[in-house]
Amino acid sequence: WLVAPLSGPFRVAAVVGTAAVAHAVPSFGKFLGLVGASICTLLGFIIPAILHIKVFHYEKGPQGDGLKKWELWLDYFFIAFGIVFGVLGTYDSFMALINHTEGGAHR
């Protein structure tokens, strides 16, 4: 009685939908690698650093004005790191998906 009435059908639909996608895509693991390389670097490195800059850069508090220089540079490093390795990982995963190889085009 605490569970929403549509949660059961939604769960079944989510599982069936995921199974249908996994069956339809012949290289589902490589597809997941492509999604992981592009989305996980965005969610793990780029967006948190951008949000940290947006939230704290102009905040005036008792200890000074906003972020310190080293904090700002660290955020910029995480953004650059995420972009570079996100692009490289996405490219490698995309080439592996196209070429049906295990690791990428260069192997």
Side-chain angles (χ1 to χ4, degrees):
W1 59 274
L2 293 175
V3 180
L6 293 179
S7 68
F10 177 75
R11 288 180 186 177
V12 170
V15 170
V16 169
T18 304
V21 170
H23 182 68
V25 178
S27 302
F28 188 65
K30 294 174 190 170
F31 176 72
L32 283 180
L34 177 65
V35 171
S38 57
I39 300 300
C40 289
T41 55
L42 188 68
L43 291 175
F45 292 100
I46 299 170
I47 291 177
I50 290 173
L51 290 177
H52 187 246
I53 291 170
K54 292 287 185 191
V55 171
F56 295 111
H57 186 57
Y58 297 110
E59 179 183 88
K60 299 195 186 305
Q63 296 181 0
D65 295 335
L67 294 174
K68 296 173 181 61
K69 280 197 182 253
W70 70 268
E71 292 173 317
L72 201 56
W73 280 106
L74 188 62
D75 284 334
Y76 290 144
F77 170 76
F78 282 132
I79 292 169
F81 181 86
I83 290 171
V84 168
F85 286 100
V87 168
L88 290 175
T90 301
Y91 173 77
D92 189 56
S93 297
F94 183 73
M95 295 309 288
L97 191 62
I98 289 176
N99 295 331
H100 303 294
T101 62
E102 198 55 38
H106 59 281
R107 293 188 181 129

